[in-house]
Amino acid sequence: MSTGLIQPKLIIHGGAGSSLKGKAGADAVRRSLYTVITEVYELLLAGTDAKSAVIRGCQLLEDDPRFNAGTGSVLQSDGQIRMSASLMDGTQQRFSGVINVSRVKNPIELAEFLQTSDDRVLSDMGALELMRELQLPYYDPLTKIRLQEWILEREGNFDKAMAGVVAERELVSEAGRGTIGVVVLDSHGRLATGTSTGGKGFERIGRVSDSAMPAGNYADAHAAISCTGIGEDIIEECLAARIVIRVTDGMPLLKAFECSFQEAQSRKRDFGAIGIAADGTIAWGKTSEVLLAAYHDGEKMGDTLEMGPGTQTQCRVSRL
């Protein structure tokens, strides 16, 4: 007798930006991404629901100092770290998030709590009060390399638009966009997505990231999307919600990516996105040089690290 269960799907990203420096750089990022994929997919096979799997994946990526979220977040122009994160349950079509929160290890945990709150998006002071309410310990996410990066930019009066996407100088050149994201389709067909970031680095105090908006993180019962790249570009395209709505209206996921990225290319946008549809299709796309993403389609793991330059959209279709 059929159990009614399907093969789970999973895709994650660790940012988008300029080219990784050689095979060693790609291999180092790949190891980090595959470690997360392996743990989260095992949870999905054991029956973990989509939202819980997304939260765990985001925690693991936030805890990896290589990526710009949680530990390893970039510093803003005043030398402070302010992080943003959001979580969306596609089954309930419920969004929650925090904006510019400091002194917390895993911003995604605050977004998790807000899923059941009447007030589902909190900014800096509200998020700080929530931390106190939950009795979460204060945590300093600063790493030595991010501090050194900020000091060097201060000497140059912050002439760069943003910090490095990966917190290792030997892996990636300076111009990059760092965000982490997780998208899941669980064994019961439920979709969820989470996105977390330290921002773009060196930005004006109070700047708000797309990662805490439906523009950068969105899901319903038909598709789920997480974005990375230039937040302002993602917001102006309302990229995540645009792709999801197209799928909801009947467009295949890959076609929704293709249409959305073609439109964005004409406006010279700079970003990437990952997503899963309810039919099990996994898709990704980028206008940046590289997209640091990896996936598990139920049969094997794969990644996007060796995609060529320029705008591209691809998908992976496998059995449910």
Side-chain angles (χ1 to χ4, degrees):
M1 181 180 296
S2 173
T3 62
L5 300 180
I6 64 173
Q7 192 74 37
K9 311 293 178 185
L10 168 65
I11 186 167
I12 67 175
H13 71 72
S18 53
S19 296
L20 291 165
K21 294 182 176 179
K23 185 176 185 299
D27 286 347
V29 172
R30 185 177 286 115
R31 282 193 299 271
S32 286
L33 294 174
Y34 279 28
T35 296
V36 176
I37 287 283
T38 299
E39 178 172 331
V40 176
Y41 201 78
E42 287 176 355
L43 292 174
L44 287 168
L45 291 177
T48 298
D49 66 273
K51 186 168 69 173
S52 297
V54 164
I55 293 164
R56 182 55 182 156
C58 287
Q59 289 171 329
L60 292 169
L61 289 164
E62 287 174 339
D63 289 345
D64 188 332
R66 176 167 286 133
F67 301 115
N68 174 22
T71 303
S73 289
V74 298
L75 282 67
Q76 295 190 351
S77 57
D78 63 346
Q80 299 300 308
I81 291 175
R82 299 178 180 90
M83 301 167 285
S84 298
S86 66
L87 175 66
M88 190 155 190
D89 182 334
T91 301
Q92 298 186 64
Q93 204 164 333
R94 178 166 292 180
F95 181 94
S96 61
V98 289
I99 298 170
N100 288 336
V101 62
S102 301
R103 301 291 178 176
V104 64
K105 184 178 183 183
N106 296 111
I108 195 66
E109 293 178 6
L110 298 176
E112 176 188 12
F113 176 85
L114 291 170
Q115 281 276 301
T116 56
S117 171
D118 290 336
D119 306 311
R120 286 199 282 274
V121 180
L122 297 180
S123 61
D124 47 3
M125 291 302 297
L128 177 61
E129 288 301 317
L130 178 59
M131 284 175 56
R132 292 171 177 162
E133 178 184 333
L134 297 177
Q135 297 184 329
L136 294 178
Y138 282 93
Y139 178 80
D140 185 359
L142 179 66
T143 60
K144 183 178 179 180
I145 193 167
R146 289 303 191 188
L147 178 59
Q148 291 173 338
E149 184 179 46
W150 182 83
I151 290 171
L152 287 172
E153 281 308 303
R154 183 181 62 177
E155 292 172 354
N157 198 28
F158 303 113
D159 61 348
K160 289 190 172 64
M162 62 202 67
V165 63
V166 174
E168 295 184 38
R169 295 189 184 281
E170 69 273 18
L171 296 188
V172 73
S173 60
E174 294 289 333
R177 276 70 67 193
T179 304
I180 64 92
V182 179
V183 183
V184 169
L185 175 70
D186 68 21
S187 58
H188 292 277
R190 296 170 297 207
L191 287 158
T193 182
T195 306
S196 181
T197 187
K200 60 184 180 181
F202 321 138
E203 64 263 61
R204 183 188 297 269
I205 302 167
R207 182 253 184 187
V208 176
S209 165
D210 69 285
S211 298
M213 299 182 187
N217 188 70
Y218 196 75
D220 66 8
H222 303 275
I225 302 291
S226 172
C227 300
T228 179
I230 302 293
E232 286 71 16
D233 287 358
I234 293 167
I235 292 167
E236 288 165 0
E237 294 292 327
C238 202
L239 184 62
R242 176 176 291 188
I243 295 172
V244 169
I245 289 168
R246 281 180 155 151
V247 176
T248 301
D249 288 344
M251 187 178 287
L253 182 63
L254 180 59
K255 183 65 174 176
F257 264 76
E258 290 172 346
C259 290
S260 301
F261 275 76
Q262 286 169 3
E263 291 165 354
Q265 186 178 23
S266 69
R267 291 182 279 271
K268 295 182 170 55
R269 304 302 195 189
D270 192 342
F271 48 50
I274 60 173
I276 304 177
D279 65 2
T281 302
I282 302 173
W284 55 90
K286 68 174 185 66
T287 62
S288 53
E289 286 191 51
V290 294
L291 173 64
L292 311 182
Y295 61 85
H296 200 311
D297 64 4
E299 299 173 1
K300 64 178 182 179
M301 292 189 289
D303 62 71
T304 69
L305 301 186
E306 296 180 7
M307 292 174 71
T311 301
Q312 292 190 46
T313 53
Q314 297 178 14
C315 76
R316 175 75 179 170
V317 181
S318 57
R319 64 182 179 87
L320 283 174

